Amino acid sequence: MTNFLLLIATVLIGYAFVLVFKPTKQKNLKLLLAFSGAFLLSITVFNFLPEVFTNNNNKTIGLFIMAGILLQIILEFFSKGAEHGHVHLSKNSSAFPWLLFISLSIHSVLEGIPIEAHDNLIYGIIIHKLPVAIILSAFFLASELSRIKILFFLTLFALMTPLGVLLSQETNIFKIYYTEISALVIGIFLHISTIILFETSEGHKFNLTKLIVIVVAITIAYFL
Ligand SMILES: [Zn+2]
Ligand SMILES: [Zn+2]
C-alpha cells in the first residue's frame, strides 16, 4: 500500500513542482537526471541483478536481460526518450500523444512488477520517476494540449507503475514468470540508466558537479 502511494505521490510532486517553481534551469534538471540514472543503475547492479541469477538459469536470464534492452530501444522509437527524461514532440500539437503514452505505459507497468519482491527497488524507481514527471509536466504545460488532456495523461501515467505492482500480486502468470520478467526489467533499467548518464554529459566535457552527484548516488545506493 505504501508503495502505491509513494509512486502516485512522486508524479504529483513532479507536477506540483513544475506548477510552483516553473523550473527553467536545464542544468539543475540535468543534475537531478544524472543522480537518478546513477542511483537506478546502482540499485539494479547492487540488489536487483544478483537476485535473478540462480545457478542453473544463467544464460536464459541473460537472454531476458538482453531482450529488455531491446524492448526498451523499441519503446523509445515511439516515446522518443520520455522514460529517460526528455521529450521530442512537436510543441504546437494539440493532439493527444498516443504513441508516447502507450510506450511509456508499457514501460511503467513492467517496472512495477518486481517492486514488491525487491526491497530497495522502489527507491530507485521513485528517484527515476521524479525527473521524468517534472520533464513531462513542464513539456505538456508549455504545449497546446488542454489542461484536461494533461491531467488525464499524468493521472494515467501515475497509475501505471502501481498497476504493475497490483498485477504482480494478483495474477498467476506474473508469479510464474516472475524471474524472467524481472530480468526483462533489469535490461530496461540498464538501458535507460546508462542512456541518462550518457546524455547528461554534453560533448563528454569534464564536469565535476556531475561527477560528484554520480558518486553520491552510487554511495547512497550502496549503503541503502
Ligand atoms: Zn534520449
Ligand atoms: Zn521507468
Side-chain angles (χ1 to χ4, degrees):
M1 193 62 206
T2 351
N3 285 349
F4 283 96
L5 296 177
L6 278 173
L7 288 163
I8 295 169
T10 307
V11 177
L12 288 178
I13 290 168
Y15 181 65
F17 180 85
V18 174
L19 283 183
V20 177
F21 295 105
K22 309 204 175 3
T24 42
K25 286 222 177 74
Q26 281 292 325
K27 221 175 118 201
N28 295 341
L29 267 179
K30 279 216 161 131
L31 284 179
L32 178 61
L33 263 178
F35 182 88
S36 76
F39 190 73
L40 184 63
L41 184 58
S42 307
I43 294 273
T44 305
V45 172
F46 292 145
N47 305 87
F48 195 19
L49 188 60
E51 281 174 35
V52 292
F53 284 104
T54 61
N55 289 323
N56 48 21
N57 66 351
N58 287 356
K59 204 151 188 187
T60 319
I61 289 302
L63 202 62
F64 276 96
I65 293 177
M66 295 316 291
I69 292 179
L70 213 61
L71 173 65
Q72 185 59 36
I73 291 173
I74 294 167
L75 288 177
E76 281 169 17
F77 289 135
F78 303 106
S79 71
K80 307 291 178 207
E83 302 90 335
H84 59 258
H86 58 92
V87 196
H88 305 276
L89 291 168
S90 68
K91 277 205 178 218
N92 303 319
S93 163
S94 59
F96 191 79
W98 280 109
L99 284 178
L100 169 72
F101 178 71
I102 291 166
S103 52
L104 198 57
S105 297
I106 294 171
H107 166 96
S108 303
V109 170
L110 281 173
E111 75 187 353
I113 290 166
I115 283 181
E116 291 280 284
H118 293 273
D119 283 343
N120 295 324
L121 198 58
I122 181 82
Y123 303 114
I125 291 177
I126 283 173
I127 299 288
H128 145 64
K129 241 183 211 325
L130 183 65
V132 175
I134 291 176
I135 288 157
L136 274 178
S137 305
F139 177 84
F140 285 141
L141 288 170
S143 76
E144 313 255 293
L145 281 175
S146 65
R147 282 288 165 113
I148 299 286
K149 278 181 188 163
I150 296 173
L151 223 59
F152 175 70
F153 188 102
L154 289 174
T155 308
L156 283 176
F157 173 58
L159 292 175
M160 285 305 161
T161 306
L163 175 66
V165 177
L166 198 71
L167 285 174
S168 76
Q169 293 168 334
E170 303 298 329
T171 38
N172 259 333
I173 184 134
F174 288 101
K175 285 195 182 116
I176 297 167
Y177 296 105
Y178 182 73
T179 317
E180 288 81 357
I181 295 169
S182 294
L184 201 75
V185 176
I186 287 171
I188 291 175
F189 286 166
L190 288 178
H191 180 71
I192 57 169
S193 54
T194 46
I195 285 273
I196 289 170
L197 290 177
F198 169 73
E199 286 183 352
T200 50
S201 68
E202 278 151 80
H204 299 280
K205 261 187 303 185
F206 181 74
N207 182 336
L208 184 65
T209 325
K210 190 192 150 193
L211 203 64
I212 293 172
V213 161
I214 291 174
V215 172
V216 169
I218 296 171
T219 313
I220 296 174
Y222 183 82
F223 288 107
L224 215 65

